[in-house]
Amino acid sequence: MIDTHCHIFKQFYPDVEEVIKKMKNNIIIVSGTNDTDNKEVLSLCKKYKNVYGTLGIHPEELNSINDETFNFIEKHLMDDKIVGIGEIGLDYHFDKTNIDLQKKIFMYQLDLAKKYNKPVVIHSRDAVEDTLNILKSYKEIKKDIHCYSGSVESAKEFIKLNSKLGIGGVITFKNAKKLIEVITNIDLDYLLLETDSPFLSPEPFRGKKNEPYNVYYVALKIAQIKNISIEEVLSKTYENAISQFDLDMYL
């Protein structure tokens, strides 16, 4: 199994090592969102064989940026086991006063991805139109649309732009009708498994702290929706993640 997106940092877990050990030989990709997270991503990648990472600034973390923020990211982008830039993107859900700054920082990080030929992990909440419009100028970059929650139509537009869709615990929720429609209509070739730990725990753990091993329950739900075996889901999404993040360079 590969959990392509999580935040297993010490601020969330009293014992990060136990969380990682539970995944055994399965792969975890940890995404940074700010300066502190990005440094912890590097530490986790160095310490644990099955942990890889992405570095980036989340759209809700723009106030944390300082003069060294992007120098640090660029300096470490080619470090061993750093497999992408993320979590980056646009979020208009709580704050629409800084949209121009969000776009500027998003495009700056996309330019870094283009310069270093790195895939990106994209956060897009209540901002699908602007996200799509910006990504049209970066078609060559491989993209993981993290925690995909849009329509089938938008999914197809993202896929045209060299994207795969990150599917997490939300797919197990009772109100996930729109996402179930996406899973039904989008080929398995374009799906990635994720947990977004410690958030969005799948059923039967909803309300509890999420962890990378729960990606199994995401795969199980996708298998049920598509009426295929969980082994097929795990095998294909593993291949998708290896390709999307160029993990074969490290394994």
Side-chain angles (χ1 to χ4, degrees):
M1 301 189 296
I2 301 182
D3 180 359
T4 60
H5 187 94
C6 63
H7 309 280
I8 50 170
F9 303 124
K10 57 190 175 187
Q11 71 177 104
F12 302 123
Y13 300 92
D15 192 342
V16 173
E17 186 155 342
E18 282 303 310
V19 173
I20 293 170
K21 278 184 176 178
K22 193 169 179 181
M23 279 291 272
K24 295 181 180 176
N25 295 322
N26 298 300
I27 292 171
I28 303 167
I29 300 177
V30 185
S31 278
T33 64
N34 56 40
D35 286 333
T36 302
D37 287 358
N38 288 333
K39 291 179 175 67
E40 199 165 344
V41 166
L42 293 180
S43 177
L44 289 168
C45 288
K46 288 176 183 176
K47 187 172 182 180
Y48 299 102
K49 183 179 179 181
N50 63 331
V51 175
Y52 298 79
T54 66
L55 306 176
I57 300 298
H58 189 285
E60 291 184 308
E61 296 282 354
L62 301 189
N63 291 335
S64 71
I65 294 172
N66 59 54
D67 291 342
E68 287 301 312
T69 294
F70 295 111
N71 289 336
F72 179 87
I73 290 173
E74 188 165 8
K75 178 182 177 182
H76 292 284
L77 269 182
M78 300 309 290
D79 283 11
D80 189 35
K81 298 174 76 181
I82 296 301
V83 297
I85 298 181
E87 178 178 349
I88 66 175
L90 303 173
D91 193 319
Y92 301 165
H93 187 70
F94 293 114
D95 188 0
K96 296 183 180 180
T97 64
N98 65 349
I99 285 176
D100 288 342
L101 178 61
Q102 286 194 43
K103 289 179 180 178
K104 178 182 177 182
I105 298 302
F106 184 29
M107 288 186 285
Y108 182 85
Q109 293 180 97
L110 287 168
D111 286 336
L112 279 180
K114 188 174 182 178
K115 178 179 178 180
Y116 290 95
N117 191 30
K118 289 285 187 178
V120 291
V121 178
I122 293 175
H123 172 106
S124 178
R125 183 160 58 163
D126 297 345
V128 170
E129 184 177 355
D130 281 354
T131 304
L132 280 168
N133 286 336
I134 288 171
L135 293 182
K136 287 174 184 176
S137 299
Y138 299 91
K139 190 172 182 179
E140 70 276 25
I141 299 173
K142 294 177 181 178
K143 306 163 193 74
D144 168 8
I145 310 302
H146 151 61
C147 198
Y148 186 75
S149 60
S151 65
V152 174
E153 292 72 26
S154 293
K156 291 178 179 177
E157 291 304 308
F158 278 117
I159 288 167
K160 288 177 186 176
L161 297 175
N162 203 14
S163 304
K164 287 183 169 56
L165 311 177
I167 307 299
V170 173
I171 192 62
T172 70
F173 297 176
K174 291 177 182 177
N175 61 349
K177 291 180 181 179
K178 187 162 72 168
L179 189 52
I180 288 172
E181 186 180 356
V182 169
I183 299 301
T184 302
N185 288 280
I186 297 299
D187 195 279
L188 196 57
D189 288 346
Y190 301 107
L191 304 183
L192 299 169
L193 303 180
E194 63 167 64
T195 63
D196 201 22
S197 297
F199 315 109
L200 300 175
S201 291
E203 297 290 356
F205 304 106
R206 193 170 181 186
K208 298 179 181 179
K209 190 177 294 183
N210 205 358
E211 59 180 83
Y213 187 82
N214 289 342
V215 77
Y216 174 86
Y217 298 94
V218 178
L220 184 62
K221 185 63 176 182
I222 292 173
Q224 291 169 354
I225 293 167
K226 288 190 166 294
N227 195 27
I228 57 179
S229 69
I230 188 171
E231 288 78 16
E232 184 176 351
V233 173
L234 290 173
S235 175
K236 187 58 190 173
T237 54
Y238 181 91
E239 290 176 15
N240 294 345
I242 294 290
S243 170
Q244 197 71 1
F245 290 97
D246 297 318
L247 286 169
D248 52 354
M249 293 169 57
Y250 306 95
L251 297 175

PDB file of all heavy atoms in Angstrom, residues 10 22 28-30 42 46 52 54-55 63 70 86-87 92 94 100 142-143 150 158 164 181 188 197 230:
ATOM      1  N   LYS A  10       4.814  15.275  14.926  1.00  0.00           N
ATOM      2  CA  LYS A  10       4.787  15.103  16.385  1.00  0.00           C
ATOM      3  C   LYS A  10       3.714  15.958  17.055  1.00  0.00           C
ATOM      4  O   LYS A  10       3.267  15.624  18.157  1.00  0.00           O
ATOM      5  CB  LYS A  10       6.161  15.388  16.983  1.00  0.00           C
ATOM      6  CG  LYS A  10       6.716  16.758  16.667  1.00  0.00           C
ATOM      7  CD  LYS A  10       8.175  16.844  17.101  1.00  0.00           C
ATOM      8  CE  LYS A  10       8.802  18.167  16.692  1.00  0.00           C
ATOM      9  NZ  LYS A  10      10.255  18.208  16.967  1.00  0.00           N
ATOM     10  N   LYS A  22       3.403   0.531  12.042  1.00  0.00           N
ATOM     11  CA  LYS A  22       2.181  -0.185  11.687  1.00  0.00           C
ATOM     12  C   LYS A  22       2.074  -0.373  10.174  1.00  0.00           C
ATOM     13  O   LYS A  22       1.470  -1.338   9.702  1.00  0.00           O
ATOM     14  CB  LYS A  22       0.960   0.567  12.217  1.00  0.00           C
ATOM     15  CG  LYS A  22      -0.323  -0.245  12.183  1.00  0.00           C
ATOM     16  CD  LYS A  22      -1.433   0.443  12.946  1.00  0.00           C
ATOM     17  CE  LYS A  22      -2.721  -0.361  12.898  1.00  0.00           C
ATOM     18  NZ  LYS A  22      -3.824   0.308  13.626  1.00  0.00           N
ATOM     19  N   ILE A  28       4.807   5.471   2.844  1.00  0.00           N
ATOM     20  CA  ILE A  28       4.133   6.670   3.330  1.00  0.00           C
ATOM     21  C   ILE A  28       4.782   7.882   2.679  1.00  0.00           C
ATOM     22  O   ILE A  28       6.022   8.004   2.679  1.00  0.00           O
ATOM     23  CB  ILE A  28       4.278   6.800   4.860  1.00  0.00           C
ATOM     24  CG1 ILE A  28       3.724   5.567   5.581  1.00  0.00           C
ATOM     25  CG2 ILE A  28       3.600   8.073   5.363  1.00  0.00           C
ATOM     26  CD1 ILE A  28       4.117   5.492   7.051  1.00  0.00           C
ATOM     27  N   ILE A  29       3.970   8.778   2.118  1.00  0.00           N
ATOM     28  CA  ILE A  29       4.467  10.062   1.610  1.00  0.00           C
ATOM     29  C   ILE A  29       3.913  11.155   2.513  1.00  0.00           C
ATOM     30  O   ILE A  29       2.697  11.342   2.598  1.00  0.00           O
ATOM     31  CB  ILE A  29       4.075  10.302   0.143  1.00  0.00           C
ATOM     32  CG1 ILE A  29       4.646   9.199  -0.756  1.00  0.00           C
ATOM     33  CG2 ILE A  29       4.579  11.676  -0.315  1.00  0.00           C
ATOM     34  CD1 ILE A  29       4.250   9.326  -2.222  1.00  0.00           C
ATOM     35  N   VAL A  30       4.818  11.861   3.195  1.00  0.00           N
ATOM     36  CA  VAL A  30       4.434  12.905   4.145  1.00  0.00           C
ATOM     37  C   VAL A  30       4.547  14.263   3.457  1.00  0.00           C
ATOM     38  O   VAL A  30       5.576  14.570   2.842  1.00  0.00           O
ATOM     39  CB  VAL A  30       5.329  12.879   5.394  1.00  0.00           C
ATOM     40  CG1 VAL A  30       4.839  13.877   6.422  1.00  0.00           C
ATOM     41  CG2 VAL A  30       5.381  11.481   5.991  1.00  0.00           C
ATOM     42  N   LEU A  42      11.847  16.293   6.255  1.00  0.00           N
ATOM     43  CA  LEU A  42      13.226  15.870   5.980  1.00  0.00           C
ATOM     44  C   LEU A  42      13.722  14.892   7.040  1.00  0.00           C
ATOM     45  O   LEU A  42      14.359  13.889   6.725  1.00  0.00           O
ATOM     46  CB  LEU A  42      14.149  17.090   5.930  1.00  0.00           C
ATOM     47  CG  LEU A  42      13.945  18.073   4.779  1.00  0.00           C
ATOM     48  CD1 LEU A  42      14.956  19.211   4.890  1.00  0.00           C
ATOM     49  CD2 LEU A  42      14.083  17.387   3.431  1.00  0.00           C
ATOM     50  N   LYS A  46      14.761  10.805   6.480  1.00  0.00           N
ATOM     51  CA  LYS A  46      16.098  10.302   6.811  1.00  0.00           C
ATOM     52  C   LYS A  46      16.030   9.147   7.804  1.00  0.00           C
ATOM     53  O   LYS A  46      16.839   8.224   7.756  1.00  0.00           O
ATOM     54  CB  LYS A  46      16.949  11.437   7.382  1.00  0.00           C
ATOM     55  CG  LYS A  46      17.370  12.469   6.354  1.00  0.00           C
ATOM     56  CD  LYS A  46      18.121  13.627   7.001  1.00  0.00           C
ATOM     57  CE  LYS A  46      18.485  14.689   5.968  1.00  0.00           C
ATOM     58  NZ  LYS A  46      19.143  15.867   6.610  1.00  0.00           N
ATOM     59  N   TYR A  52       8.703   8.801   2.563  1.00  0.00           N
ATOM     60  CA  TYR A  52       9.148   9.757   1.548  1.00  0.00           C
ATOM     61  C   TYR A  52       8.412  11.064   1.815  1.00  0.00           C
ATOM     62  O   TYR A  52       7.505  11.113   2.652  1.00  0.00           O
ATOM     63  CB  TYR A  52       8.846   9.214   0.148  1.00  0.00           C
ATOM     64  CG  TYR A  52       9.583   7.925  -0.142  1.00  0.00           C
ATOM     65  CD1 TYR A  52       9.115   6.708   0.360  1.00  0.00           C
ATOM     66  CD2 TYR A  52      10.763   7.924  -0.870  1.00  0.00           C
ATOM     67  CE1 TYR A  52       9.818   5.528   0.144  1.00  0.00           C
ATOM     68  CE2 TYR A  52      11.464   6.749  -1.104  1.00  0.00           C
ATOM     69  CZ  TYR A  52      10.982   5.552  -0.594  1.00  0.00           C
ATOM     70  OH  TYR A  52      11.679   4.389  -0.818  1.00  0.00           O
ATOM     71  N   THR A  54       7.181  15.366   0.552  1.00  0.00           N
ATOM     72  CA  THR A  54       7.059  16.524  -0.328  1.00  0.00           C
ATOM     73  C   THR A  54       7.168  17.780   0.531  1.00  0.00           C
ATOM     74  O   THR A  54       6.771  17.787   1.695  1.00  0.00           O
ATOM     75  CB  THR A  54       5.722  16.540  -1.101  1.00  0.00           C
ATOM     76  OG1 THR A  54       4.633  16.725  -0.178  1.00  0.00           O
ATOM     77  CG2 THR A  54       5.509  15.244  -1.874  1.00  0.00           C
ATOM     78  N   LEU A  55       7.699  18.830  -0.064  1.00  0.00           N
ATOM     79  CA  LEU A  55       7.905  20.097   0.635  1.00  0.00           C
ATOM     80  C   LEU A  55       7.059  21.178  -0.035  1.00  0.00           C
ATOM     81  O   LEU A  55       7.034  21.271  -1.264  1.00  0.00           O
ATOM     82  CB  LEU A  55       9.376  20.513   0.580  1.00  0.00           C
ATOM     83  CG  LEU A  55      10.406  19.498   1.079  1.00  0.00           C
ATOM     84  CD1 LEU A  55      11.816  20.039   0.860  1.00  0.00           C
ATOM     85  CD2 LEU A  55      10.186  19.178   2.557  1.00  0.00           C
ATOM     86  N   ASN A  63       0.810  33.276   5.960  1.00  0.00           N
ATOM     87  CA  ASN A  63       1.318  34.205   6.972  1.00  0.00           C
ATOM     88  C   ASN A  63       2.607  33.713   7.617  1.00  0.00           C
ATOM     89  O   ASN A  63       3.296  34.476   8.296  1.00  0.00           O
ATOM     90  CB  ASN A  63       0.266  34.442   8.065  1.00  0.00           C
ATOM     91  CG  ASN A  63      -0.924  35.229   7.551  1.00  0.00           C
ATOM     92  OD1 ASN A  63      -0.812  35.974   6.582  1.00  0.00           O
ATOM     93  ND2 ASN A  63      -2.067  35.059   8.192  1.00  0.00           N
ATOM     94  N   PHE A  70      11.295  29.802   0.833  1.00  0.00           N
ATOM     95  CA  PHE A  70      11.428  29.143  -0.467  1.00  0.00           C
ATOM     96  C   PHE A  70      12.871  28.790  -0.785  1.00  0.00           C
ATOM     97  O   PHE A  70      13.123  27.866  -1.564  1.00  0.00           O
ATOM     98  CB  PHE A  70      10.777  29.990  -1.558  1.00  0.00           C
ATOM     99  CG  PHE A  70       9.287  30.105  -1.379  1.00  0.00           C
ATOM    100  CD1 PHE A  70       8.710  31.312  -1.016  1.00  0.00           C
ATOM    101  CD2 PHE A  70       8.473  28.991  -1.509  1.00  0.00           C
ATOM    102  CE1 PHE A  70       7.338  31.407  -0.814  1.00  0.00           C
ATOM    103  CE2 PHE A  70       7.104  29.073  -1.303  1.00  0.00           C
ATOM    104  CZ  PHE A  70       6.537  30.290  -0.950  1.00  0.00           C
ATOM    105  N   GLY A  86       4.639  20.078  -2.292  1.00  0.00           N
ATOM    106  CA  GLY A  86       3.285  20.055  -1.785  1.00  0.00           C
ATOM    107  C   GLY A  86       3.269  20.037  -0.264  1.00  0.00           C
ATOM    108  O   GLY A  86       4.284  19.716   0.358  1.00  0.00           O
ATOM    109  N   GLU A  87       2.311  20.488   0.315  1.00  0.00           N
ATOM    110  CA  GLU A  87       0.949  20.656  -0.196  1.00  0.00           C
ATOM    111  C   GLU A  87       0.771  22.111  -0.611  1.00  0.00           C
ATOM    112  O   GLU A  87       0.928  23.001   0.211  1.00  0.00           O
ATOM    113  CB  GLU A  87      -0.042  20.261   0.889  1.00  0.00           C
ATOM    114  CG  GLU A  87      -1.471  20.399   0.566  1.00  0.00           C
ATOM    115  CD  GLU A  87      -2.382  19.934   1.712  1.00  0.00           C
ATOM    116  OE1 GLU A  87      -1.898  19.317   2.664  1.00  0.00           O
ATOM    117  OE2 GLU A  87      -3.590  20.197   1.628  1.00  0.00           O
ATOM    118  N   TYR A  92     -10.333  28.926  -0.914  1.00  0.00           N
ATOM    119  CA  TYR A  92     -11.200  30.101  -0.761  1.00  0.00           C
ATOM    120  C   TYR A  92     -12.305  29.864   0.267  1.00  0.00           C
ATOM    121  O   TYR A  92     -13.237  30.650   0.365  1.00  0.00           O
ATOM    122  CB  TYR A  92     -11.844  30.456  -2.096  1.00  0.00           C
ATOM    123  CG  TYR A  92     -10.892  30.767  -3.227  1.00  0.00           C
ATOM    124  CD1 TYR A  92     -11.337  30.804  -4.544  1.00  0.00           C
ATOM    125  CD2 TYR A  92      -9.542  31.031  -2.991  1.00  0.00           C
ATOM    126  CE1 TYR A  92     -10.485  31.103  -5.598  1.00  0.00           C
ATOM    127  CE2 TYR A  92      -8.676  31.312  -4.036  1.00  0.00           C
ATOM    128  CZ  TYR A  92      -9.153  31.347  -5.344  1.00  0.00           C
ATOM    129  OH  TYR A  92      -8.299  31.626  -6.390  1.00  0.00           O
ATOM    130  N   PHE A  94     -12.409  29.726   3.726  1.00  0.00           N
ATOM    131  CA  PHE A  94     -12.502  30.599   4.900  1.00  0.00           C
ATOM    132  C   PHE A  94     -12.100  32.044   4.611  1.00  0.00           C
ATOM    133  O   PHE A  94     -12.573  32.965   5.260  1.00  0.00           O
ATOM    134  CB  PHE A  94     -11.625  30.066   6.041  1.00  0.00           C
ATOM    135  CG  PHE A  94     -12.112  28.765   6.617  1.00  0.00           C
ATOM    136  CD1 PHE A  94     -11.361  27.611   6.468  1.00  0.00           C
ATOM    137  CD2 PHE A  94     -13.311  28.685   7.297  1.00  0.00           C
ATOM    138  CE1 PHE A  94     -11.799  26.407   6.996  1.00  0.00           C
ATOM    139  CE2 PHE A  94     -13.761  27.481   7.827  1.00  0.00           C
ATOM    140  CZ  PHE A  94     -13.004  26.353   7.677  1.00  0.00           C
ATOM    141  N   ASP A 100      -5.288  36.931  -4.556  1.00  0.00           N
ATOM    142  CA  ASP A 100      -4.168  37.262  -5.453  1.00  0.00           C
ATOM    143  C   ASP A 100      -2.847  36.723  -4.902  1.00  0.00           C
ATOM    144  O   ASP A 100      -2.017  36.199  -5.661  1.00  0.00           O
ATOM    145  CB  ASP A 100      -4.071  38.775  -5.661  1.00  0.00           C
ATOM    146  CG  ASP A 100      -5.204  39.315  -6.526  1.00  0.00           C
ATOM    147  OD1 ASP A 100      -5.843  38.508  -7.233  1.00  0.00           O
ATOM    148  OD2 ASP A 100      -5.451  40.536  -6.486  1.00  0.00           O
ATOM    149  N   LYS A 142       3.482  16.548 -13.412  1.00  0.00           N
ATOM    150  CA  LYS A 142       2.588  15.536 -12.847  1.00  0.00           C
ATOM    151  C   LYS A 142       1.911  16.103 -11.604  1.00  0.00           C
ATOM    152  O   LYS A 142       2.571  16.733 -10.770  1.00  0.00           O
ATOM    153  CB  LYS A 142       3.370  14.275 -12.478  1.00  0.00           C
ATOM    154  CG  LYS A 142       3.954  13.524 -13.655  1.00  0.00           C
ATOM    155  CD  LYS A 142       4.758  12.330 -13.155  1.00  0.00           C
ATOM    156  CE  LYS A 142       5.386  11.556 -14.287  1.00  0.00           C
ATOM    157  NZ  LYS A 142       6.207  10.418 -13.788  1.00  0.00           N
ATOM    158  N   LYS A 143       0.602  15.856 -11.485  1.00  0.00           N
ATOM    159  CA  LYS A 143      -0.174  16.466 -10.407  1.00  0.00           C
ATOM    160  C   LYS A 143      -0.997  15.427  -9.652  1.00  0.00           C
ATOM    161  O   LYS A 143      -1.636  14.585 -10.258  1.00  0.00           O
ATOM    162  CB  LYS A 143      -1.113  17.537 -10.972  1.00  0.00           C
ATOM    163  CG  LYS A 143      -0.412  18.585 -11.813  1.00  0.00           C
ATOM    164  CD  LYS A 143      -1.383  19.373 -12.669  1.00  0.00           C
ATOM    165  CE  LYS A 143      -0.644  20.186 -13.707  1.00  0.00           C
ATOM    166  NZ  LYS A 143      -0.117  19.338 -14.812  1.00  0.00           N
ATOM    167  N   GLY A 150     -14.453  17.130  -6.129  1.00  0.00           N
ATOM    168  CA  GLY A 150     -15.233  17.787  -7.176  1.00  0.00           C
ATOM    169  C   GLY A 150     -16.120  16.830  -7.957  1.00  0.00           C
ATOM    170  O   GLY A 150     -16.340  15.681  -7.570  1.00  0.00           O
ATOM    171  N   PHE A 158      -9.147  17.783 -14.886  1.00  0.00           N
ATOM    172  CA  PHE A 158      -7.859  17.635 -14.195  1.00  0.00           C
ATOM    173  C   PHE A 158      -7.023  16.531 -14.839  1.00  0.00           C
ATOM    174  O   PHE A 158      -5.808  16.687 -15.018  1.00  0.00           O
ATOM    175  CB  PHE A 158      -8.079  17.321 -12.709  1.00  0.00           C
ATOM    176  CG  PHE A 158      -8.352  18.520 -11.849  1.00  0.00           C
ATOM    177  CD1 PHE A 158      -9.562  18.651 -11.177  1.00  0.00           C
ATOM    178  CD2 PHE A 158      -7.399  19.523 -11.703  1.00  0.00           C
ATOM    179  CE1 PHE A 158      -9.813  19.758 -10.374  1.00  0.00           C
ATOM    180  CE2 PHE A 158      -7.647  20.625 -10.905  1.00  0.00           C
ATOM    181  CZ  PHE A 158      -8.857  20.748 -10.241  1.00  0.00           C
ATOM    182  N   LYS A 164      -3.621  12.945 -11.367  1.00  0.00           N
ATOM    183  CA  LYS A 164      -4.320  11.828 -10.749  1.00  0.00           C
ATOM    184  C   LYS A 164      -5.060  12.357  -9.526  1.00  0.00           C
ATOM    185  O   LYS A 164      -4.721  13.415  -8.986  1.00  0.00           O
ATOM    186  CB  LYS A 164      -3.350  10.705 -10.388  1.00  0.00           C
ATOM    187  CG  LYS A 164      -2.851   9.941 -11.616  1.00  0.00           C
ATOM    188  CD  LYS A 164      -1.945   8.796 -11.237  1.00  0.00           C
ATOM    189  CE  LYS A 164      -1.664   7.873 -12.418  1.00  0.00           C
ATOM    190  NZ  LYS A 164      -1.089   8.548 -13.585  1.00  0.00           N
ATOM    191  N   GLU A 181     -19.793   8.842  -7.227  1.00  0.00           N
ATOM    192  CA  GLU A 181     -20.033   8.986  -8.671  1.00  0.00           C
ATOM    193  C   GLU A 181     -18.714   9.140  -9.424  1.00  0.00           C
ATOM    194  O   GLU A 181     -18.535   8.581 -10.521  1.00  0.00           O
ATOM    195  CB  GLU A 181     -20.936  10.203  -8.925  1.00  0.00           C
ATOM    196  CG  GLU A 181     -21.349  10.348 -10.373  1.00  0.00           C
ATOM    197  CD  GLU A 181     -22.241  11.557 -10.606  1.00  0.00           C
ATOM    198  OE1 GLU A 181     -22.604  12.248  -9.619  1.00  0.00           O
ATOM    199  OE2 GLU A 181     -22.553  11.830 -11.777  1.00  0.00           O
ATOM    200  N   LEU A 188      -9.589   3.408 -12.774  1.00  0.00           N
ATOM    201  CA  LEU A 188      -8.651   3.176 -11.679  1.00  0.00           C
ATOM    202  C   LEU A 188      -7.249   3.697 -11.997  1.00  0.00           C
ATOM    203  O   LEU A 188      -6.473   4.016 -11.095  1.00  0.00           O
ATOM    204  CB  LEU A 188      -8.607   1.669 -11.375  1.00  0.00           C
ATOM    205  CG  LEU A 188      -7.990   1.194 -10.059  1.00  0.00           C
ATOM    206  CD1 LEU A 188      -8.684   1.832  -8.858  1.00  0.00           C
ATOM    207  CD2 LEU A 188      -8.062  -0.320  -9.977  1.00  0.00           C
ATOM    208  N   SER A 197      -3.935  11.883   7.024  1.00  0.00           N
ATOM    209  CA  SER A 197      -3.757  11.757   8.476  1.00  0.00           C
ATOM    210  C   SER A 197      -3.083  13.018   9.033  1.00  0.00           C
ATOM    211  O   SER A 197      -2.195  13.575   8.391  1.00  0.00           O
ATOM    212  CB  SER A 197      -2.861  10.557   8.787  1.00  0.00           C
ATOM    213  OG  SER A 197      -3.452   9.370   8.361  1.00  0.00           O
ATOM    214  N   ILE A 230     -10.033  -6.049  -3.767  1.00  0.00           N
ATOM    215  CA  ILE A 230      -9.167  -5.061  -3.121  1.00  0.00           C
ATOM    216  C   ILE A 230      -7.729  -5.239  -3.582  1.00  0.00           C
ATOM    217  O   ILE A 230      -6.973  -4.261  -3.680  1.00  0.00           O
ATOM    218  CB  ILE A 230      -9.277  -5.134  -1.580  1.00  0.00           C
ATOM    219  CG1 ILE A 230      -8.503  -3.962  -0.948  1.00  0.00           C
ATOM    220  CG2 ILE A 230      -8.793  -6.483  -1.055  1.00  0.00           C
ATOM    221  CD1 ILE A 230      -8.706  -3.812   0.531  1.00  0.00           C
TER     222      ILE A 230
END
